[in-house]
Every structure is written in structure tokens, then in C-alpha cells.
């Protein structure tokens, strides 16, 4: 709609939307920052804030809401994230979600409870994520697995 990103409705049934306020749209011009040599770039402040918000939500915050909070379009957020981190924002959020679920299972939380707490729809979704990102299923986590500490 004419140079604007139309976000989700404030009435959308999304727990994060209700807690983050009413960003209904983001001006495309506000997504650009000062040029430095190679063109528009994603500011370090925005990247740091985006990473912090992803970690605080356990990887469950929708990328559209995250982009809106940072006054960026989802596309601009992903381009900046990809350039700075090497992954799109959603892929990074999925890794954080996987890491959270893995930590819960390793601490002895039941599989269904861990899946729910980590934000997966059900245990099957968590199992698929663990197989994709870790190469194992939750019931067979290697005993010698070293889990890196994710810092904000």
C-alpha cells in the first residue's frame, strides 16, 4: 500500500502483539539509516535490541512484531540480520527456541512440558526441531553433549 508495510491488526490473537503495543505500520523511509559507503545498513543498536528481544521471548516473538518494534520492515530486519549474523532473523529465533527446549529437557522437564514452555505447538514439532538442529531426538540426547551458553 504505497510505500508502507502493513503490520498485523492490533486485534490479532497474538500474545506478543498485545504486550508490545499498537504498531500498525512502518514507513518504508524510516527503515533506512544513514549511508556509509555501500548503502543502507542495519544499525548495531537495532541488531543488539533485536537479539535481546529474541532471547527474552525464547525465540517465540513473531519477526513482524520485532521489525515493527524496531521501526523496520521484516525484509529490512532480515537483510540486516543476515549481513551481521549470517542468518535471517527467523532462523536465529528458531535456534534460540531449540536451545531453550534443549536446556529444559536436559534439566529434567518432561517432553510435553518442555515443548509447551519452549513455544512449540506440540512435542512432535519440538522433536522435528531437535532432529533438524541437533541431529538427535529428545529421548536420545547425547550424554556428552556440550551446550554453548547463549549470551545477550
Amino acid at each position: 500500500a504505497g510505500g508502507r508495510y502493513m503490520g498485523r491488526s492490533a486485534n490479532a490473537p497474538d500474545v506478543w502483539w498485545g504486550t508490545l503495543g499498537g504498531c500498525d505500520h512502518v514507513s518504508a523511509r524510516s527503515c533506512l539509516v544513514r549511508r556509509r559507503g555501500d548503502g543502507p545498513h542495519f544499525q548495531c543498536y537495532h541488531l543488539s535490541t533485536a537479539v535481546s528481544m529474541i532471547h527474552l521471548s525464547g525465540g517465540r516473538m513473531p519477526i513482524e512484531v520485532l521489525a515493527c518494534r524496531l521501526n523496520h520492515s521484516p525484509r529490512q530486519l532480515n537483510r540486516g540480520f543476515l549481513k551481521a549474523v549470517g542468518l535471517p532473523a527467523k532462523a536465529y529465533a528458531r535456534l534460540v527456541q531449540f536451545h531453550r527446549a534443549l536446556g529444559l529437557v536436559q534439566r529434567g522437564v518432561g517432553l510435553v512440558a518442555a515443548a509447551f514452555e519452549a513455544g512449540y505447538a506440540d512435542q512432535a514439532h519440538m522433536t522435528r526441531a531437535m532432529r533438524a538442529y541437533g541431529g538427535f531426538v529428545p529421548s536420545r540426547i547425547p550424554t556428552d553433549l556440550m551446550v554453548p551458553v547463549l549470551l545477550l
Side-chain angles (χ1 to χ4, degrees):
R4 292 195 179 267
Y5 165 72
M6 299 309 290
R8 296 171 77 165
S9 166
N11 297 327
D14 185 351
V15 70
W16 294 107
W17 189 257
T19 60
L20 292 175
C23 290
D24 288 328
H25 64 278
V26 177
S27 168
R29 283 188 286 277
S30 72
C31 295
L32 299 178
V33 293
R34 291 186 184 182
R35 292 181 175 266
R36 282 193 192 165
D38 62 341
H41 66 283
F42 198 60
Q43 292 178 334
C44 291
Y45 164 77
H46 288 233
L47 178 64
S48 174
T49 303
V51 168
S52 293
M53 292 174 80
I54 288 171
H55 280 270
L56 289 172
S57 72
R60 296 177 290 184
M61 180 180 290
I63 299 306
E64 295 81 12
V65 174
L66 178 61
C68 186
R69 291 291 294 159
L70 296 172
N71 265 352
H72 287 279
S73 69
R75 186 173 175 190
Q76 180 73 15
L77 174 68
N78 276 320
R79 275 197 312 259
F81 223 89
L82 187 60
K83 185 175 181 179
V85 177
L87 293 171
K90 187 61 181 177
Y92 184 81
R94 285 184 183 139
L95 283 173
V96 169
Q97 186 180 28
F98 158 72
H99 192 268
R100 178 172 169 73
L102 180 61
L104 290 167
V105 171
Q106 285 184 319
R107 287 193 299 268
V109 176
L111 297 180
V112 174
F116 176 75
E117 180 63 31
Y120 290 103
D122 55 25
Q123 182 182 340
H125 283 89
M126 181 181 74
T127 300
R128 280 193 292 274
M130 287 198 174
R131 189 175 294 127
Y133 291 115
F136 50 80
V137 293
S139 61
R140 300 207 193 289
I141 296 175
T143 56
D144 59 346
L145 181 67
M146 294 181 63
V147 180
V149 176
L150 295 179
L151 301 174
L152 291 177

